[in-house]
Amino acid sequence: MPLIPLRPVLDAAVANGYAQGAFNVNAVAQAEAVIQIHELFRSPAILQGADLANAFMGGAVDFAKGTLEDKKRGAKNIAAAVRRFAESSPIPVVLHLDHGKDFESCAAAIEGGYTSVMIDGSSLPFEENVELTRAVVQYAHARGVSVEGELGVLAGVEDHVFAAGSTYTNPLSAIEFFRKTGVDALAISYGTMHGANKGKDVKLRREIPTAIRECMNHAGIRGALVSHGSSTVPQYIVNEINALGGQVTNAHGISRDELKAAIGCGISKINVDTDIRLAVTRNLRELFEGRPDLKQDERIGGIWTLLDQRRDAFDPRVFLPPVMDTLMYGTGDDGTVALVTDAMRRGVREVVGTLIVEFGSVGRAPLVEQVSLEEMARRYAAGEV
């Protein structure tokens, strides 16, 4: 199927009371695995490329310093891979930009083939956030592309997103934000955190999404609420990484029970990135543990060198530059490189499959309307959504 906008996927989730997981990818093999596991469970799929993931997929190994040109190349690479796997898929697939940091990054993603973008103006004063988000909405909706905004600040670190503390989302401000910007979805701050160090036994303030959803219903506002910083950080994976020579410390996530309870309070999209990073890193360490001869392999031995040097790291982008062409284009995926991509795919399927079940999106693919970008642009222009 062709890629579709985010809006119809979230409309189905809101109407039917489940949540849609949204999973970050940084390589062709990861995109393939995310779509495959959603097909297995007949779930709609939301694949996310973060702003810096675009830089990485554009060839910027030091992706934190990626340029706009890197992001443009990377957006096209991610979109090409996702389209290739989605075209033969029976499920609806969305490609969504996670944490676009400015208008230019969002425009680059749309130009590259993304069907949904998130503009993160949460660090700005309210009116500046509104102004920036509204500009992205106007640009994106004219092209049939959905838009997610953010209101409130999440603590933690993920790519270029950093905050020392949280500022919870004010429900009345959320209603004003929806009205002034026209966003399709809003990421809120209600106790989640970016990164792997969320603290033990986090309790989410579920009264916040409950109040926002009730206010939205009263005001007749259609839209979805999004939970960022929601990785569960499975402890068994952390323990396995460390047993294989890693040194990942103070890693704790949001419990599945807390996230499932939040779904009943109005959360319809749940973002997950760290869990995938952990599972892929564990599988890479396991690969070299089981096949020590690969540590000297001409094609992939450099991955082991980086794993050994950065024992505290769990972001696969730190270890995988020796096979950049395979990550970016899917080329050269044979021989010993295929062992690496297989490890990546298995890690993705393990954690994503678990959360598809937990979030309740199993079998929901038929509920999603197949809307083209052209038709969605018409609906936006006509005020039908």
Side-chain angles (χ1 to χ4, degrees):
M1 295 181 181
L3 297 181
I4 69 169
L6 180 66
R7 182 68 189 237
V9 173
L10 294 188
D11 281 349
V14 171
N16 293 279
Y18 64 92
Q20 188 67 49
F23 301 100
N24 287 56
V25 298
N26 298 281
V28 171
Q30 289 182 336
E32 180 182 20
V34 171
I35 292 175
Q36 285 175 337
I37 196 65
H38 280 83
E39 288 176 356
L40 180 65
F41 288 106
R42 284 299 187 265
S43 168
I46 303 172
L47 286 77
Q48 298 192 149
D51 194 38
L52 295 189
N54 283 340
F56 181 74
M57 284 288 282
V61 173
D62 188 357
F63 49 87
K65 297 179 180 178
T67 66
L68 183 60
E69 291 306 311
D70 293 327
K71 294 175 185 178
K72 287 180 178 180
R73 286 193 300 271
K76 291 178 180 177
N77 289 338
I78 292 179
V82 174
R83 276 197 306 270
R84 172 152 49 97
F85 301 123
E87 282 174 358
S88 60
S89 178
I91 62 169
V93 178
V94 176
L95 178 58
H96 176 75
L97 177 68
D98 187 26
H99 285 290
K101 71 173 187 176
D102 50 35
F103 181 93
E104 290 74 19
S105 294
C106 292
I110 294 169
E111 178 184 341
Y114 278 68
T115 57
S116 180
V117 296
M118 185 245 185
I119 176 63
D120 184 359
S122 60
S123 63
L124 300 173
F126 180 83
E127 290 301 334
E128 291 181 29
N129 188 359
V130 165
E131 182 179 358
L132 173 60
T133 304
R134 184 165 51 210
V136 172
V137 167
Q138 291 172 349
Y139 181 85
H141 281 186
R143 292 156 177 81
V145 172
S146 307
V147 179
E148 175 185 323
E150 181 165 352
L151 188 62
V153 178
L154 273 66
V157 180
E158 183 177 301
D159 284 356
H160 63 244
V161 182
F162 168 79
S166 295
T167 302
Y168 292 120
T169 304
N170 182 312
L172 295 180
S173 296
I175 299 305
E176 184 181 0
F177 193 85
F178 267 110
R179 282 178 169 154
K180 287 186 172 181
T181 63
V183 289
D184 301 278
L186 182 64
I188 64 170
S189 176
Y190 71 117
T192 58
M193 289 179 63
H194 288 298
N197 302 327
K198 304 180 193 297
K200 289 186 178 180
D201 303 320
V202 172
K203 299 299 181 185
L204 301 179
R205 294 193 58 180
R206 296 194 295 272
E207 67 272 17
I208 294 175
T210 297
I212 296 173
R213 176 53 62 189
E214 289 182 353
C215 289
M216 291 173 68
N217 292 341
H218 180 74
I221 294 173
R222 291 178 59 197
L225 300 182
V226 179
S227 182
H228 280 227
S230 301
S231 286
T232 63
V233 189
Q235 289 304 292
Y236 79 92
I237 298 180
V238 174
N239 293 338
E240 287 175 328
I241 289 173
N242 291 338
L244 291 164
Q247 297 175 350
V248 178
T249 61
N250 194 30
H252 302 281
I254 310 297
S255 76
R256 296 176 194 168
D257 288 341
E258 284 290 303
L259 290 172
K260 287 192 288 187
I263 295 169
C265 299
I267 294 295
S268 300
K269 174 174 175 276
I270 301 177
N271 287 14
V272 175
D273 185 0
T274 299
D275 290 6
I276 293 174
R277 298 184 188 192
L278 289 166
V280 170
T281 295
R282 187 267 326 266
N283 284 4
L284 292 175
R285 287 193 169 277
E286 200 168 58
L287 172 63
F288 287 101
E289 176 73 15
R291 289 281 306 275
D293 58 297
L294 296 176
K295 296 178 182 180
Q296 307 302 323
D297 184 83
E298 182 180 0
R299 299 179 71 189
I300 67 171
I303 296 174
W304 164 252
T305 300
L306 293 169
L307 280 162
D308 194 43
Q309 291 174 348
R310 293 293 309 277
R311 293 172 178 264
D312 61 332
F314 58 86
D315 184 342
R317 291 174 295 186
V318 172
F319 316 122
L320 293 171
V323 292
M324 278 299 291
D325 281 357
T326 303
L327 303 181
M328 293 166 61
Y329 309 115
T331 55
D333 192 359
D334 54 20
T336 53
V337 174
L339 299 176
V340 171
T341 55
D342 176 66
M344 295 169 65
R345 292 185 187 94
R346 287 187 288 104
V348 168
R349 291 194 292 264
E350 176 184 343
V351 298
V352 172
T354 299
L355 296 177
I356 289 171
V357 174
E358 296 283 6
F359 296 162
S361 67
V362 175
R364 305 289 192 171
L367 300 178
V368 176
E369 184 184 9
Q370 300 296 314
V371 184
S372 68
L373 293 179
E374 293 76 15
E375 170 59 17
M376 187 58 71
R378 186 200 66 77
R379 294 182 187 183
Y380 284 134
E384 296 176 6
V385 290

